[in-house]
Amino acid sequence: SRIYDISTGDSRRPRRQSQWLVNIRPSYDFSSMPLTVYGQAMYYSERFSSDSNTNVTIYPAYTQINLGAIYSVSDDLELQFHISNLNDADSFTEGTSVESGLSFSDGSYHGVARPLLGRAMKASITYSF
């Protein structure tokens, strides 16, 4: 379900810009082995889809959790494993506002937006030369 509110451009932030972005990324280096583990929590407050005065979609706030590890095989070679969006947060990163051209023939609205990607894992090898 969607909720529609009357909105104006007064004091509106630029589109897709959070009023609050909190990024916490602690890490720990093991002294007994060349391994670093890290976590990250990123909070984004609600954002506006556009700068216009009418038909503005508000993207909900969300928190995304990321985890990873980096293992140094040698001075020149590192292995990394990273999990992004571990908590499978759900929101949109950008999109359009409600417009007449974005509706089905029955009049119901459909939006065009880029969703926050779901949980993903990646592994990488870095060689420095």
Side-chain angles (χ1 to χ4, degrees):
S1 68
R2 293 174 179 81
I3 298 172
Y4 298 100
D5 293 319
I6 296 174
S7 176
T8 69
D10 297 338
S11 301
R12 182 167 308 143
R13 294 180 306 279
R15 64 182 173 169
R16 300 189 306 257
Q17 302 268 331
S18 296
Q19 181 175 6
W20 288 98
L21 169 60
V22 180
N23 183 5
I24 299 169
R25 190 178 188 267
S27 64
Y28 181 77
D29 296 323
F30 288 88
S31 59
S32 60
M33 64 179 86
L35 177 67
T36 299
V37 293
Y38 60 88
Q40 181 181 36
M42 296 188 324
Y43 169 78
Y44 293 85
S45 62
E46 67 181 16
R47 287 119 23 246
F48 301 104
S49 65
S50 73
D51 301 325
S52 67
N53 288 339
T54 59
N55 298 330
V56 177
T57 302
I58 300 174
Y59 303 133
Y62 68 94
T63 300
Q64 179 178 332
I65 306 294
N66 304 317
L67 294 175
I70 302 170
Y71 182 76
S72 296
V73 177
S74 68
D75 288 341
D76 299 330
L77 184 64
E78 287 183 342
L79 306 176
Q80 180 177 10
F81 181 72
H82 181 82
I83 303 171
S84 60
N85 201 5
L86 179 68
N87 59 323
D88 211 18
D90 189 20
S91 190
F92 299 100
T93 59
E94 62 181 285
T96 61
S97 298
V98 179
E99 297 176 10
S100 60
L102 297 174
S103 60
F104 291 111
S105 58
D106 68 358
S108 64
Y109 166 75
H110 71 91
V112 178
R114 180 175 294 152
L116 180 65
L117 296 177
R119 184 179 309 115
M121 293 177 266
K122 69 178 178 179
S124 63
I125 299 172
T126 301
Y127 181 74
S128 300
F129 55 93

